[in-house]
Each structure stands twice: as C-alpha cells, then as structure tokens.
Amino acid sequence: MDLIEFLNDLTGGQLLLWKVILTSLVFACAGLQVLLAARFYEASTVPPISTGVAARTHRLNGKLTVTLAVVVAVTCLVGPAGPTSPTRVLLHSTFGSLAFALLALKYTVLKLWAPGGRFLPWIGSGLFLTFAAIWATTVADYVTAR
Amino acid sequence: MRALRLLPLLALAGLALVGVPTAAAGQGAAEETRIVDFDFAPRTLEVEVGTSVSWSNTGARPHTATDRGGSFDTKPISPGASAKVSFSTPGTYFYFCRINPSKMNGVVVVKPGAQPSKAVRVQAVDPGFTGDKLRFDPPRLSVAAGTTLLVANVGGKPHSLTADDGSFDTGIVDPGPEGGRFAGKNASVTLTKPGTFGFHCEIHPAAMKGVETVTGDAAGGGPAAASAGPREVDIGARDFAFDPKEASVASGGKVTVTNRGKAPHTMTLDDQPLDTGNIPPGAMATLTAPTEPGSYSYRCAVHPAKMRGVLVVLGRDVEDPTEQGAAQAVAAAPVAAGGDGPGGGVTTFVLVTAVLAAFLGGVGLSAFALRRRRAPT
C-alpha cells in the first residue's frame, strides 16, 4: 500500500490535523527539554527537582521528542502539509533540515567528542528555537490560513 | 530501557528508508487536468455529461482531487501518476486537494447531454470556506419526473434542500470539518411528482431559495421520499440555548433532551402537542418525534425568547443513487474526505501547546542567559 494512503487511512483522512498536533507536541517537548537542561546545569532552580531527576527526565523526553519529530518528518516527506507557499516551503525545509543537523551534532558531541560538551546548551537552545521556527512555518500558517 | 535508547535511532533509520510513494492507478481520459505544486490547471473545466476527467500530477508532491460535496475522492495521486473520475451527473463540482485544502481548489462543470439524466447535482454554497454568498447552485432547474437530486454541501454551514410545500426534503446536510475546510456531506431526494416546486434551506430560508420544475410522470408517482435520518437524536439544553439548534431525526424517532444548564428548561413544540415538561438541571426527558416528515420549531417554555430550535423529521429512506446506475458520477465511493477526526478544538490545542512551549523554553533560555551574565563575576 502507498505510504501516504496508509497514513491517511490510519488518521481517518486527517493526516494534516495529526501533523499539526504532533508538531505542537514536539515544540512543547523541546521547551521542556531546555527547562530541564537549565535545571541540571544548575542555571535554574525550576522545576523544583533534583539535578539527577532532571537529567533522566531530559533524556527520556529527548527520546520522545526525537521520535515524534521523525514521525512528523516522515509524513512531511511523503505527504506535504496544508497551506503552502513557496516561501513557506523553503523556510520549512531549511528549518527542518537544520533541526536534524543540530540533532546529529548533539549526538556527535555526546557520543564522540566529549570536550564539546560545553556547547551542548547552545546546541539545545538552537534546537528549541529551530522547532519554534518549524512550528511558526507550519502550525501557525495552518491556523491563520482559514 | 535499552530498547528505549534505540527508539530515536530506529526512527532516524526509518526516515532514511522512506521513498517516494508509488504511482496511483488510472490513466487516459477524454479531458485532462494537470496538477502542479500547488494548483490545478485549468482551475475550471467544462465537460459534457459522461466525460471522464483525468488528473495528472506533474508536481513533485502527492495531491488529491476531492469533491467538496463528498461525492468523489481520488485519494493521493503520486507525482507522475494520474487518477480518473467519470461524471454522469450534470452539475457543478467544487473540488480541492485535501492535502493542501487552502490553496488548491478547482471546478468541474458537467453540462447535461442530449438525453435527460437520471440525477442532477445541486450544490449548497455559503461563505464558510469558498467565500461565496449563501445560495443554491443552480437555483432553478428543470428535470423529468423520477430524477434524483444530489444535494452536496460544499460550504461550511449545515444546509437542507426542502420543498416549500414539504413534498421533499433532504434533511440537514452537514458541512465538512473545520467550517468547510474539508469535504462536506451529501444527500439525495428523488422527485416523482410533476409540477413546479419552490425550495429553500431550512436553516437559511431567506437567503437560500430555488425553483424546481418536474415534468412528465414517473411510475409510482406521489411525493418524493426524504433521505434517511437517525432513529435517535440527543439535544442539549444549556443556559440559554439548545445544542444543536437544528437536529434531524427519523419519523417517529426518539428525541432525548438533556438539561446541561443550571436553570430548568423544556422542549415544547410550537405547533404540536409535544412537550417534555420541566426538566430539572442535570436531568433528561424523551419525546417521540412526529411521524409526518417536516420541520418543527420548538422552544423552551421557560425561556421562550432565548431558546428556540428546529427539529427536522425525515421520512423513509431512499436508495443512494450514487450506488445505482442512475448516477455514476463518481469513481470512488462517496466519502467525506475530511473525515471525522479532530476538528475546531485543534486550533485551541495547538495555540495552548505553543504558549506552554514558549513559556518553558523561554524560562530555560533565560536561565542560561542569566548564568552566562553572572559567570564572569
């Protein structure tokens, strides 16, 4: 079966709406990631949890975020989103690619280049802002295009 | 836990393996419309009844050609592929791509042929999505007795096509999800009684009117039957409105009224001896709908100025002409392509989620920024 057909059937013909929902969830998870990182880097005292718990939650939430982001990215590749203009497509593609480039960079630093650890807050912040840009070029466009 | 660690990697591997969708079926047609990213060319196509229209996707993305009135849907057409729809019912068809519903819209106008058609399409249009004015398209038509009217709601509001004398009635035809952003529903009535009939929309009677001339005589005669209605309907009474204001139910069906407000309410029909009596807050009452098809206005006897509604009673079922030889206008089974998934609440959900995300992320970013500023001291 065609993948786009399969996804459409899976979502009862509401693929676009589910993408909008998942993109928003990814954005929210990314925000939580930054907050948790600020906690275990001891840059912040909120949320009021130990740095260990914050770190573990950060890893778990990160896996969830990446998984959801990949699911949305797959649907973007096989079936484009709703309101579309060439500029939006260009921006969305740029930010989408940037998000996965930053993710790859983050995994590289984590697994292969320990000295680069001091850059992780910057990479994480960049990821959050990239997800915000993706949200703005998709969901915000969807909501305002009525 | 180990499996959990692998989840993102598996997902990334899946991303890498995804290819372009395979080609859709269907090729060759009397008329052809090209799909480009993100438009139809031409946007308006005029064809004779019985013509097959082929949509060829010359873009780089999958698209659909989907009737706004829910009578056909090509399903996603992959780049380079095409799909075909045969039109044997005259009328105007507003269609769109349900993957890009805001941007990609087109029109197919199917002109009647030399032989009278057994079905004719009428569109209920409103400002909901197309930005058009409230109207029937076409507002005047002349058909032979025995013809089936296919009434397609291509707008964003509920409509009906109801004879002024009550001799035919589609009942309420629902719009597409998200205020008509996606495909709406359709209904049908078969006209067997010769004569000239004014018709209107029960919900927008002042703005949506038309005239139908039925010629000749059909076997079986008599007034046309209405489309099917639900056997039961639930109506909520809030402070101070009925929800929904318009509801349809089958002849003799069960009407349940639930008081969801804090004040007592009733459902009292204006011209029928039907009354629930006072329903206390949180309680419910039931009524048996009238057996005679038609539209019945009702009120809350306690708050008659504020709380009014309309109950549409539908007659016996009629066969769906889209499944008969009478109307083979569709290539795919009639569907409401928009589906019944999440609707208007999505906007609220995504906005709330975004505000939450911005707040969480903003606090985190601020904390990092402040720490960096404090660091030199």
Side-chain angles (χ1 to χ4, degrees), chain B:
Chain B
M1 243 358 234
R2 183 172 293 277
L4 198 60
R5 280 183 201 153
L6 291 173
L7 200 55
L9 291 176
L10 288 172
L12 282 167
L15 177 64
L17 288 172
V18 168
V20 178
T22 55
Q27 44 182 282
E31 293 286 348
E32 183 168 317
T33 296
R34 282 189 313 115
I35 299 174
V36 294
D37 293 337
F38 294 83
D39 208 349
F40 297 106
R43 281 188 191 159
T44 302
L45 185 66
E46 217 169 88
V47 299
E48 292 285 341
V49 69
T51 304
S52 291
V53 175
S54 170
W55 279 270
S56 301
N57 188 353
T58 62
R61 295 289 203 171
H63 298 287
T64 77
T66 305
D67 178 22
R68 283 210 170 275
S71 73
F72 68 81
D73 175 27
T74 61
K75 296 198 170 179
I77 308 167
S78 304
S82 64
K84 196 163 59 177
V85 175
S86 295
F87 291 89
S88 60
T89 299
T92 303
Y93 294 75
F94 287 3
Y95 71 95
F96 70 117
C97 168
R98 63 177 159 88
I99 301 171
N100 305 278
S102 300
K103 296 289 179 188
M104 297 179 64
N105 285 279
V107 181
V108 175
V109 180
V110 180
K111 294 184 292 184
Q115 297 295 319
S117 298
K118 291 180 179 175
V120 172
R121 173 175 163 115
V122 178
Q123 294 195 135
V125 184
D126 66 43
F129 190 78
T130 56
D132 217 321
K133 62 179 184 180
L134 283 163
R135 64 188 173 95
F136 286 113
D137 174 28
R140 303 180 71 88
L141 59 165
S142 178
V143 298
T147 301
T148 296
L149 283 190
L150 285 170
V151 183
N153 188 343
V154 298
K157 302 171 188 298
H159 299 292
S160 78
L161 191 152
T162 308
D164 293 347
D165 65 0
S167 60
F168 55 84
D169 179 16
T170 60
I172 302 296
V173 185
D174 290 326
E178 298 241 322
R181 187 184 179 96
F182 296 99
K185 308 282 186 188
N186 55 66
S188 60
V189 287
T190 302
L191 306 167
T192 53
K193 185 178 163 188
T196 299
F197 305 89
F199 60 83
H200 63 277
C201 166
E202 280 288 286
I203 298 163
H204 309 95
M208 296 181 72
K209 295 175 182 174
V211 177
E212 169 86 53
T213 303
V214 183
T215 57
D217 198 5
S227 56
R231 296 298 309 163
E232 294 183 12
V233 64
D234 292 315
I235 296 173
R238 293 186 284 108
D239 298 337
F240 297 90
F242 288 105
D243 182 23
K245 275 187 178 174
E246 296 91 14
S248 55
V249 66
S251 171
K254 181 180 170 187
V255 181
T256 303
V257 186
T258 306
N259 186 348
R260 300 193 181 108
K262 292 178 180 172
H265 298 295
T266 78
M267 178 179 175
T268 307
L269 271 69
D270 289 335
D271 303 315
Q272 296 286 320
L274 287 172
D275 186 3
T276 59
N278 263 359
I279 310 170
M284 62 173 64
T286 58
L287 285 178
T288 301
T291 51
E292 187 69 24
S295 294
Y296 297 87
S297 60
Y298 62 86
R299 67 190 186 280
C300 166
V302 186
H303 313 95
K306 293 178 180 176
M307 296 179 66
R308 300 196 64 84
V310 176
L311 181 69
V312 180
V313 176
L314 305 172
R316 65 179 174 81
D317 297 356
V318 293
E319 290 174 334
D320 184 351
T322 57
E323 294 174 0
Q324 304 296 315
Q328 296 158 350
V330 297
V335 291
D340 296 319
V346 171
T347 301
T348 310
F349 171 81
V350 298
L351 291 178
V352 168
T353 309
V355 169
L356 179 69
F359 174 74
L360 294 174
V363 170
L365 291 179
S366 303
F368 277 122
L370 288 173
R371 186 181 75 154
R372 185 174 153 73
R373 194 175 291 174
R374 283 196 304 265
T377 62

